[in-house]
Amino acid sequence: MNIEFNRNEDTNRMLVSAMERKLAKIYLGGGQKRIDKMHKEGKMTARERIAFLIDKDTETIEIGAFAGDDMYAEHGGCPGGGVVIVMGYVSKRLCLIVANDATVKAGAWFPITGKKNLRAQEIAMENKIPIIYLVDSAGVYLPMQDEIFPDKEHFGRIFRNNAIMSSMGIIQIAAIMGSCVAGGAYLPIMSDEALIVDKTGSIFLAGSYLVKAAIGESIDNETLGGATTHCEISGVTDYKCENDAACLTRIRNIMDKIGKFNEAGFNREKPALPTMDSKEIFGILPDTRDKQYDMHEIIYRLVDCSDFEEYKPAYGQSIICGLARIDGWAVGIVANQRKVVKSKKGEMQFGGVIYSDSADKAARFIMNCNQKKIPLVFLQDVTGFMVGSRSEHGGIIKDGAKLVNAMSNSVVPKFTVVIGNSYGAGNYAMCGKAYDPRLIVGWPTAQIAVMGGAQAAKVLVQIEVANLKSKGEEITPEKEAELFNKIKDRYDKQTSPYYAASRLWIDAIINPVDTRKVISMGIEAANHAPIEKRYNVGVIQT
């Protein structure tokens, strides 16, 4: 291994270590004192409940662990968005588990909590996989009610989705393991089955204090809406459970009896590891985002047997397309090439830039994968589309539109991995969040923005300097440099993968060596949902 490989490896492993340290802090939720308090009440934490529920020694994917990261500081923060969401196996059935974290503001719903819950339901609906809710929440976080309550993508959308999923035949099981109040009471009762834990679980439209204030009735919460009330008097809940463990065991027993699902029929053979070591990715990926590397070397370390059947390898070389298998699943890979390549006309093409011929090739490849019912995997490290007179005269907008059209109308499931840059229209063309990837994840090296920090800062500085000069102010080179650095620092923070993950622009930040697992489980989930739409790209110029 050369010095550059070792330097890259050190940098990238440090980024993964930093990510793991941040996750360890997030896993504590509201802190150890609140965890201890839950234990004294005889309750498990959200993460303990999930760990008990899922099959032992099986793979999982956590969705939105960084949601709320570095947000809501004025409200004391909201680690993990106050809810834990995991895709995993319960009684050998792949499903989604949504567990309120009662250590974070008693499980109250912040705006990001609502967005994260809606993302979980979206994944369940797209893939038609069961969803299990472990409810322990004080309801809407009142100081921010205007940002979580009334709009289309706010709290009420959760219950609408409950109803839609029920009509779609998607299994929903809810366990009331703590507070469940006001509008939030509808979520478990709109599920197929509702369980409640005796003495710690409660569910009502209004608690005892509000009942007293509203109608003058004096009653305690347990009598108003505890397990005995709802299992023996109202009939609202279906199962009364002695404690958390008994409740979770009951869910496992229910899941064990579920019938088989209709498969989409994606092709899978016996899984095989890459022949090239996946851990070598750390040394191949450059230590900064502006350096070149060969994306083929990344692909070879992600696919089974390092076997990649490339499509049109000598044409449109700034995008790599081809067929492979990942953990046995057949996939079509669309990846940005990050090294300088020579076009068919002998012209040099910059790495990470989409040219007309590359867009044309990728669009045709996507159409082919839809024809063959092969899921698509996008590996993003893109700075955008090529600009300038030659590209404009050559019809780059038309070819870019062709790619976006083909990708947008794709009916096979799409999965996106942001490896490096994800800038501007390149984010769109390579299946960014707005284009409905079944899962979208980033490596710790990911950067998502309209453009890079330095480029953006240069543009904004030019505008600011012109504005100040128009007011008669003198701008010294030192002042201009200070302004540039200030703008760049702010912009760089916003391009961070953590900034993106905190706002759920991506579902997770992952260790690169976990990429195969994420794609494999994602396709397994997608295989629960047969393709019912016909692939039609609509109006598209050729």
Side-chain angles (χ1 to χ4, degrees):
M1 300 298 178
N2 58 34
I3 294 175
E4 184 176 1
F5 184 99
N6 292 336
R7 183 171 60 247
N8 293 343
E9 185 175 41
D10 289 345
T11 298
N12 289 314
R13 287 190 180 278
M14 286 175 63
L15 288 174
V16 170
S17 294
M19 176 193 74
E20 290 173 344
R21 288 194 299 273
K22 286 177 74 72
L23 281 173
K25 186 175 180 181
I26 288 169
Y27 291 164
L28 289 173
Q32 191 61 50
K33 288 184 178 179
R34 292 179 182 173
I35 292 173
D36 293 341
K37 182 182 178 183
M38 286 194 71
H39 289 165
K40 288 178 181 177
E41 294 171 352
K43 298 167 65 175
M44 298 179 184
T45 65
R47 293 186 179 278
E48 289 167 344
R49 288 166 177 166
I50 292 174
F52 188 100
L53 186 60
I54 61 174
D55 298 346
K56 305 306 176 190
D57 301 318
T58 56
E59 300 282 15
T60 61
I61 301 172
E62 182 165 353
I63 306 296
F66 289 100
D69 181 56
D70 202 26
M71 295 171 66
Y72 311 120
E74 66 276 23
H75 298 278
C78 186
V83 63
V84 183
I85 298 173
V86 169
M87 182 185 291
Y89 301 88
V90 177
S91 297
K92 300 180 181 179
R93 288 297 303 265
L94 184 62
C95 60
L96 275 176
I97 306 164
V98 180
N100 298 113
D101 187 349
T103 69
V104 180
K105 292 287 193 297
W109 288 57
F110 281 69
I112 197 65
T113 316
K115 186 174 183 178
K116 187 171 175 178
N117 275 266
L118 288 170
R119 176 58 178 150
Q121 291 184 319
E122 180 182 44
I123 292 171
M125 286 190 285
E126 286 178 333
N127 298 293
K128 296 186 178 178
I129 59 174
I131 186 166
I132 300 169
Y133 308 100
L134 307 180
V135 184
D136 193 345
S137 172
V140 167
Y141 182 61
L142 292 178
M144 302 186 75
Q145 64 85 27
D146 61 320
E147 297 181 48
I148 180 61
F149 172 66
D151 209 348
K152 180 179 178 179
E153 299 297 332
H154 284 178
F155 193 59
R157 188 77 169 183
I158 303 290
F159 318 130
R160 174 265 189 191
N161 287 350
N162 287 140
I164 296 297
M165 283 192 283
S166 181
S167 72
M168 294 171 66
I170 296 170
I171 295 164
Q172 299 177 84
I173 298 171
I176 302 156
M177 310 184 80
S179 298
C180 186
V181 300
Y186 287 105
L187 184 148
I189 308 311
M190 293 187 73
S191 299
D192 300 315
E193 293 179 281
L195 304 84
I196 186 168
V197 179
D198 194 22
K199 299 298 187 288
T200 56
S202 60
I203 178 169
F204 31 64
L205 293 181
S208 56
Y209 291 121
L210 184 53
V211 168
K212 176 68 173 176
I215 64 172
E217 181 183 2
S218 296
I219 190 170
D220 63 272
N221 283 338
E222 182 64 24
T223 306
L224 181 66
T228 299
T229 295
H230 286 308
C231 287
E232 300 178 20
I233 301 173
S234 72
V236 166
T237 52
D238 304 307
Y239 302 99
K240 179 179 178 181
C241 305
E242 181 182 356
N243 52 40
D244 281 11
C247 182
L248 298 168
T249 300
R250 176 80 66 143
I251 294 173
R252 288 185 54 81
N253 292 339
I254 293 170
M255 292 293 293
D256 182 57
K257 311 301 186 297
I258 292 171
K260 291 185 177 181
F261 60 90
N262 295 326
E263 293 188 357
F266 302 123
N267 185 296
R268 192 181 197 187
E269 299 292 341
K270 183 178 179 181
L273 293 172
T275 55
M276 297 184 182
D277 190 351
S278 294
K279 293 178 181 177
E280 290 177 352
I281 289 172
F282 294 116
I284 294 167
L285 200 63
D287 56 351
T288 62
R289 299 284 63 75
D290 56 348
K291 291 183 179 179
Q292 302 287 314
Y293 64 96
D294 188 350
M295 183 63 83
H296 289 96
E297 298 301 324
I298 301 293
I299 294 171
Y300 296 148
R301 288 159 177 82
L302 293 177
V303 301
D304 293 13
C305 304
S306 299
D307 185 13
F308 180 61
E309 186 177 346
E310 190 165 358
Y311 173 79
K312 291 182 181 285
Y315 176 72
Q317 294 178 74
S318 72
I319 289 184
I320 299 168
C321 299
L323 301 176
R325 291 189 184 276
I326 292 179
D327 199 37
W329 295 102
V331 297
I333 294 175
V334 181
N336 301 111
Q337 174 60 291
R338 277 310 311 266
K339 72 173 186 177
V340 174
V341 295
K342 187 177 290 187
S343 75
K344 62 183 183 293
K345 297 178 182 179
E347 300 165 346
M348 301 308 293
Q349 295 187 348
F350 297 106
V353 178
I354 301 176
Y355 291 77
S356 285
D357 54 359
S358 303
D360 173 71
K361 177 176 80 172
R364 292 177 185 276
F365 178 73
I366 289 168
M367 293 177 198
N368 287 344
C369 286
N370 274 269
Q371 186 77 359
K372 299 170 185 174
K373 201 159 74 170
I374 300 173
L376 289 161
V377 175
F378 293 83
L379 303 178
Q380 286 195 9
D381 195 346
V382 58
T383 53
F385 284 85
M386 190 59 189
V387 297
S389 60
R390 178 178 294 177
S391 292
E392 297 292 358
H393 296 170
I396 186 69
I397 296 175
K398 177 191 70 176
D399 291 315
K402 185 192 304 181
L403 172 55
V404 172
N405 195 329
M407 182 272 302
S408 300
N409 284 292
S410 176
V411 296
V412 296
K414 300 171 291 196
F415 302 89
T416 302
V417 182
V418 185
I419 290 176
N421 300 330
S422 180
Y423 293 160
N427 169 280
Y428 300 161
M430 293 294 292
C431 196
K433 182 65 181 291
Y435 294 84
D436 298 323
R438 296 294 177 95
L439 292 173
I440 177 170
V441 299
W443 291 358
T445 47
Q447 294 183 345
I448 302 173
V450 171
M451 62 181 73
Q455 297 94 318
K458 287 177 183 178
V459 172
L460 293 171
V461 164
Q462 289 175 16
I463 295 171
E464 184 66 17
V465 168
N467 183 47
L468 292 172
K469 285 183 177 179
S470 69
K471 297 177 180 178
E473 297 185 31
E474 185 68 27
I475 306 299
T476 64
E478 293 77 16
K479 178 68 175 177
E480 188 170 332
E482 180 185 344
L483 189 60
F484 173 84
N485 289 330
K486 181 180 178 181
I487 294 173
K488 183 177 181 300
D489 288 346
R490 184 180 73 245
Y491 203 89
D492 283 345
K493 181 181 178 181
Q494 294 177 357
T495 66
S496 158
Y498 298 104
Y499 192 91
S502 69
R503 289 153 180 81
L504 291 173
W505 301 346
I506 55 177
D507 293 316
I509 304 172
I510 65 168
N511 186 324
V513 299
D514 289 333
T515 303
R516 283 170 50 84
K517 176 191 76 172
V518 170
I519 293 170
S520 176
M521 288 184 68
I523 298 176
E524 183 181 349
N527 203 37
H528 287 67
I531 296 173
E532 298 172 351
K533 291 175 60 180
R534 181 175 177 271
Y535 183 57
N536 189 337
V537 296
V539 177
I540 185 167
Q541 292 178 293
T542 58

